[in-house]
Amino acid sequence: MKIHDNTEAELLLDVDVIRAEFPILARRVHGDRPLVYLDNAATSQTPQAVIDVLDDYFHRYNANIHRGLHCLADEATAAFEESRESVRGFLNAADKREIVFTRGTTEAINLVAQSYGRAFLQPGDEILVSMMEHHSNIVPWQLLAAERGLSIKTIPVDSRGVLDLAAYAGLFTSRTKLVAVTHVSNALGTVNPVDELVRIAHAHGARILVDGAQAAPHQAIDVQALGVDFYAFSAHKVYGPTGVGALYGRLELLEAMPPWQGGGEMIKLVRLDGETTFADPPHKFEAGTPAIAEVIAFGAALRWFSRFPVDLVDEWERRLLLGATEGVKRIEGARVIGEAPGKAGVLSFVIDGVHAQDIGLLIDQFGVAIRTGHHCAQPLLHSFGLDATCRASFAIYNTLGEVEAFLDALERVVKMVRG
């Protein structure tokens, strides 16, 4: 299925040059088929520059951080803290003490639930959670609610996959203390108006946590301009390694919150008589030896990605999304799920009479990697009367040629299944 090529954004970004920085994109699979990787919402690929940083750490300065006096420890600590500054700059946080390293978005949300939630939410208080949340921004609040006697209210989503702002504003009461909402839906690509969500929450005296895992690779993020209280994202969605992410928290909140986990690094003084005192943020929330190499590579990934003008990245990925969406809609029985205006590079769809899992398995035989299932967003899919969708998701290194290959493979798969 042919779509128009050579857009201005593609030429200005020089996508072919960018692709050459990713060794895995040269792979051939299932015999000799070129890999078409369209599963970026699950995990993006990693450029050679970031791979080299991991390799360099283990070759030259593998050591534990912060407490050592030898040169390897000094070098590792400096590189680790440089990554904290890179995350601060990427989010435009006011102070690097507002950046806590975690194992990813999921752990960051759990940290807020278990630390802030236990300390400041009382029985009868309410948490607002949107219908489109990933399970990692639902289940931690459910666990906390069961423990603390809290109520959870759901912000509805309309048939386009757009958050209902009027309904959201109407859910607040004097007991509403926290809002937990995604910036960009991983299942639909909907971009939520975070600044407006924050304004409404703060007008009612509520705090707001934003899951930014899917926003980070697609748009500029300015936590000061947005006014969020907490913002979480993961390295592996932004061309970095797995197993590491970051939590932004307003400094006055992090200072007031108790530790979540105990151990080394997060203390000032430990006594057996109970007079243990804790480190200041962010170290209060970073117990034990962290994923040092991964944190250092996380910073390298953000510096690599920040070379590209975000408006060009957005324009290019929207062009990919538009071509893929138009192509899918031309397939008989196809239905796109989620058509919010201005959505990010995520395309979810179903084909009447064809199970999503069958499509995922068969299209892989043509070298095309997409994701199928509920995408850890079961409440959202159930609201559309579905258990699963197919999801193609795009990144800076994808091309219109790959979109054509995806559409051609999809047409062939549908014909095969329907006989």
Side-chain angles (χ1 to χ4, degrees):
M1 186 179 291
K2 186 67 177 174
I3 55 179
H4 186 265
D5 210 342
N6 294 328
T7 68
E8 182 180 6
E10 180 182 25
L11 296 172
L12 290 173
L13 285 173
D14 206 340
V15 175
D16 287 340
V17 171
I18 293 171
R19 286 180 64 81
E21 298 190 51
F22 291 80
I24 199 170
L25 298 181
R27 268 205 69 181
R28 303 186 81 85
V29 295
H30 296 302
D32 198 32
R33 296 187 180 277
L35 172 66
V36 176
Y37 187 79
L38 301 179
D39 194 20
N40 297 286
T43 293
S44 59
Q45 297 300 335
T46 307
Q48 186 65 52
V50 177
I51 297 170
D52 288 344
V53 166
L54 284 166
D55 183 73
D56 185 54
Y57 169 80
F58 288 111
H59 270 92
R60 294 199 310 112
Y61 60 103
N62 179 17
N64 216 322
I65 57 171
H66 292 137
R67 295 178 293 278
L69 299 178
H70 54 81
C71 67
L72 297 187
D74 283 346
E75 291 174 10
T77 299
F80 186 94
E81 291 302 327
E82 181 185 12
S83 284
R84 197 185 308 276
E85 175 59 27
S86 294
V87 176
R88 185 211 64 77
F90 186 76
L91 298 178
N92 193 34
D95 193 313
K96 72 175 187 177
R97 291 175 295 172
E98 297 178 316
I99 306 301
V100 179
F101 286 119
T102 66
R103 289 186 300 148
T105 305
T106 298
E107 185 172 83
I109 295 170
N110 276 274
L111 188 162
V112 176
Q114 295 303 313
S115 177
Y116 181 85
R118 283 179 170 176
F120 295 102
L121 300 187
Q122 304 299 321
D125 285 346
E126 300 165 350
I127 301 172
L128 305 188
V129 176
S130 89
M131 178 67 73
M132 67 176 68
E133 296 310 306
H134 189 282
H135 295 164
S136 62
N137 206 18
I138 298 174
V139 178
W141 308 115
Q142 291 177 330
L143 294 173
L144 181 68
E147 175 187 321
R148 301 286 294 171
L150 312 174
S151 297
I152 297 178
K153 293 181 175 181
T154 303
I155 310 164
V157 173
D158 70 18
S159 60
R160 299 170 298 161
V162 175
L163 207 63
D164 188 332
L165 279 178
Y168 167 69
L171 289 172
F172 285 87
T173 73
S174 61
R175 299 308 302 267
T176 306
K177 303 301 181 184
L178 184 73
V179 175
V181 66
T182 189
H183 198 158
V184 174
S185 167
N186 76 303
L188 304 180
T190 302
V191 181
N192 285 321
V194 170
D195 52 352
E196 181 66 6
L197 297 173
V198 169
R199 186 192 67 77
I200 294 171
H202 285 173
H204 289 86
R207 302 295 186 185
I208 183 165
L209 174 144
V210 176
D211 171 355
Q214 297 296 331
H218 299 297
Q219 61 188 81
I221 299 165
D222 186 334
V223 292
Q224 294 188 75
L226 291 172
V228 296
D229 298 298
F230 302 101
Y231 197 97
F233 74 115
S234 299
H236 72 105
K237 311 288 190 183
V238 201
Y239 310 103
T242 57
V244 64
L247 170 70
Y248 159 81
R250 295 166 68 93
L251 185 58
E252 62 269 26
L253 296 178
L254 295 181
E255 288 175 334
M257 289 160 55
W260 175 36
Q261 296 176 323
E265 185 61 26
M266 49 75 67
I267 54 85
K268 286 183 178 177
L269 179 67
V270 173
R271 293 181 179 276
L272 291 178
D273 60 11
E275 295 183 3
T276 294
T277 55
F278 303 113
D280 296 325
H283 303 296
K284 176 168 60 172
F285 303 104
E286 294 178 352
T289 298
I292 301 170
E294 288 78 5
V295 166
I296 293 170
F298 184 11
L302 295 181
R303 293 191 293 274
W304 177 88
F305 182 53
S306 295
R307 298 183 310 167
F308 306 105
V310 70
D311 58 333
L312 289 181
V313 175
D314 178 65
E315 181 185 345
W316 177 235
E317 292 176 348
R318 288 180 190 275
R319 180 66 187 92
L320 297 168
L321 176 64
L322 176 62
T325 302
E326 290 176 344
V328 166
K329 285 182 174 180
R330 288 198 289 268
I331 296 174
E332 183 181 355
R335 182 160 48 102
V336 172
I337 307 301
E339 296 194 78
K343 61 185 285 189
V346 174
L347 171 61
S348 284
F349 63 95
V350 293
I351 308 286
D352 291 344
V354 185
H355 196 283
Q357 184 174 0
D358 292 337
I359 293 174
L361 288 169
L362 291 171
I363 204 169
D364 174 63
Q365 299 304 306
F366 293 94
V368 179
I370 64 171
R371 178 103 3 190
T372 63
H374 55 65
H375 317 298
C376 294
Q378 286 180 312
L380 176 64
L381 263 62
H382 290 166
S383 74
F384 284 93
L386 300 169
D387 292 319
T389 68
C390 301
R391 184 186 71 188
S393 49
F394 305 98
I396 191 173
Y397 45 64
N398 289 127
T399 68
L400 291 170
E402 289 184 311
V403 172
E404 291 173 3
F406 155 65
L407 294 171
D408 289 341
L410 181 60
E411 287 183 332
R412 295 177 68 177
V413 166
V414 171
K415 290 177 181 176
M416 288 167 55
V417 175
R418 288 177 174 167

